[in-house]
Amino acid sequence: MYEYGSSNTDVRNRFTFSPQYDLPFGKGKQFMNHGGILDAVAGGWKTTAIFQVQTGTPIAFAQRFRVGDPFGTGGTPDPVTQHNEQCATQVKTIAHWFNPCAFSQAPTAYATQAEYDAAVAAGGNAVLLSQAGTLPFGQRGRLTVAGPGFNRLDMSLFKSFKLPFRESAFELRADGINVMNTPSFGDPNTGITGGSAGQISSTRFSGLLPDARVIQVAGRLTF
């Protein structure tokens, strides 16, 4: 029961749209349809696009208790484990994706009263082992918070030129990856103490795919 919850790969909502369009230029089209050199240059171009948008995947919090709204602002830091922490005044930002004051660190269980008293006297977050399963610490189930979602638009423009040699052709294409240059942020730090608590410090793809806009031009000869 305590492991029940959303998977790290759970994408709750996702939408993909992938159209293809023949540009209305050249012979047999609406514009520049008189043939000749103009048709050879401007006619026959096609464009395709892939638009994706999705919600973020869950971020797991190990050994944490939820004591408030992760996406609410303000609050009071835990006096034992977060005595130097600043509660977030804004959330879903790079500096604070979630509010660290919405969580509390799980206490360390001690077997004897003497160990417990010593830990408490030293300012530690402690609980007696005999009470660890009976006191109302935290919630049942796996604790997760949704990370940043993303959206991106990839487009291609291409045309195939027939060559006067058997069935040869030359395809010229331009590909735009992340055409709108929309940032794709990675998951935040899951710590609830320190300056990096809830902070985003990386991008989603981290080298597997371009995060910033990339435009490339390529040609392919078939014969």
Side-chain angles (χ1 to χ4, degrees), residues 169-195:
F170 177 74
E171 183 185 72
L172 179 64
R173 65 182 300 127
D175 300 306
I177 303 171
N178 193 9
V179 174
M180 305 305 293
N181 205 28
T182 307
S184 301
F185 297 119
D187 288 336
N189 187 310
T190 56
I192 61 173
T193 60

Side-chain angles (χ1 to χ4, degrees), residues 65-72 74 76 82 87 98-104:
F65 296 146
R66 180 171 169 172
V67 295
D69 180 5
F71 297 123
T76 303
Q82 297 175 307
C87 298
F98 61 85
N99 188 354
C101 293
F103 300 95
S104 178

Side-chain angles (χ1 to χ4, degrees), residues 23-29 31-33 36-46 158-161:
L23 298 184
F25 305 107
K27 190 174 181 179
K29 301 296 178 63
F31 305 104
M32 302 180 184
N33 52 14
I37 296 178
L38 191 61
D39 173 64
V41 174
W45 287 94
K46 299 180 180 181
F158 56 94
K159 176 181 176 176
S160 182
F161 297 86

Side-chain angles (χ1 to χ4, degrees), residues 25-184:
F25 305 107
K27 190 174 181 179
K29 301 296 178 63
Q30 186 175 1
F31 305 104
M32 302 180 184
N33 52 14
H34 300 295
I37 296 178
L38 191 61
D39 173 64
V41 174
W45 287 94
K46 299 180 180 181
T47 182
T48 61
I50 301 177
F51 175 68
Q52 321 172 55
V53 58
Q54 72 174 51
T55 53
T57 51
I59 310 163
F61 287 80
Q63 298 180 336
R64 302 282 191 270
F65 296 146
R66 180 171 169 172
V67 295
D69 180 5
F71 297 123
T73 57
T76 303
D78 188 297
V80 177
T81 61
Q82 297 175 307
H83 52 277
N84 291 324
E85 191 62 37
Q86 297 292 323
C87 298
T89 57
Q90 286 184 303
V91 292
K92 294 192 175 181
T93 66
I94 294 177
H96 281 115
W97 179 253
F98 61 85
N99 188 354
C101 293
F103 300 95
S104 178
Q105 180 69 40
T108 301
Y110 292 91
T112 67
Q113 186 69 45
E115 291 175 326
Y116 168 79
D117 292 340
V120 171
N125 188 22
V127 65
L128 275 171
L129 186 61
S130 60
Q131 297 178 326
T134 59
L135 295 179
F137 288 120
Q139 60 286 306
R140 294 172 179 264
R142 188 168 181 263
L143 181 59
T144 58
V145 169
F150 83 98
N151 67 84
R152 67 186 295 157
L153 174 64
D154 302 329
M155 297 187 69
S156 295
L157 178 68
F158 56 94
K159 176 181 176 176
S160 182
F161 297 86
K162 293 183 178 180
L163 300 178
F165 178 72
R166 296 185 179 179
E167 297 180 355
S168 300
F170 177 74
E171 183 185 72
L172 179 64
R173 65 182 300 127
D175 300 306
I177 303 171
N178 193 9
V179 174
M180 305 305 293
N181 205 28
T182 307
S184 301

